[in-house]
Amino acid sequence: MQLIIISGLSGSGKSVALKVLEDGGFYCIDNLPTPFLPQIASYLQADGHDKLAISVDVRGGPSIDAVPQQLDALRAQGVDVRLLFLEAKTETLVKRFSETRRRHPLAMSSLTVTEAIALEREMLASVGDFAHRIDTSDLNSNTLRNWVKTVVDMDQSRLTLIVESFGFKHGIPLDADLVFDVRSLPNPHYVPDLKPLTGRDQPVVDFLKAQTEVCAMYDDIESYIARWLPSFVRDNRSYLTVAIGCTGGQHRSVYFAEQLGKRFSNEQQVIVRHRELA
């Protein structure tokens, strides 16, 4: 059985992710109390279901803390378990609740929406540490759907290296494990012919490859990842997200993400993402 557990902050897109999996043939359950995870998985597996997706979050109460142990027990039974954790910036979540006029599940008379979100982050901290995290702050629904599909298709028995480009002016991705800053390098944005292009276009690639500083920083970042990646593999990590940031997330960071993705694709499962281009 393949079991996808979807968790994360309220308003971060869990319903979108669950719908993607439902469309992909998964038997989906929303807001299942976590103590019932093992029983539901066993029952549905015995009933002939081999693809199951369950959403668990703070609506289920304090039992959410037991999720990591329950997932370990399910894996020991041979279930292919994957934990997907969605999150977003506080200001983004506040805006979403305001636009939809929905009530935060932890909002009480004594708590503002911002305070409820902070409390929810604290309650879910132990779950997020074991998951593949996706920051949905700057993602539209179509991009999130594609990212979820990609995660489901990965081989869970191997580490997945995610290389993500982003623009600092839009904030650092919340799902980043390692962050590298390439803003000090020559910027194609100031070359008129290159400004409308991206780091995936050959003229931009040629421009950056011709810069001594770009080559030196690439070598440093590549060497760092190559040296320390085995330690993450030994630590039984399922995912490692390396974020590369420039000012706008269009040229330099995209170039670095593409090059690093090609470099490590023969050694690990690699996903290359471009947050601002998405």
Side-chain angles (χ1 to χ4, degrees), residues 249-278:
Q250 181 176 340
H251 298 102
R252 295 164 293 180
S253 62
V254 172
Y255 166 81
F256 270 76
E258 289 287 334
Q259 298 303 311
L260 290 168
K262 293 175 184 177
R263 158 65 179 84
F264 291 99
S265 60
N266 292 328
E267 301 176 14
Q268 303 291 339
Q269 294 183 114
V270 176
I271 299 174
V272 177
R273 295 174 176 166
H274 303 298
R275 189 183 73 178
E276 315 310 349
L277 300 190

Side-chain angles (χ1 to χ4, degrees), residues 14-30:
K14 298 192 298 295
S15 297
V16 173
L18 200 63
K19 181 61 178 176
V20 170
L21 297 175
E22 185 177 31
D23 291 344
F26 281 77
Y27 188 101
C28 295
I29 302 174
D30 183 28

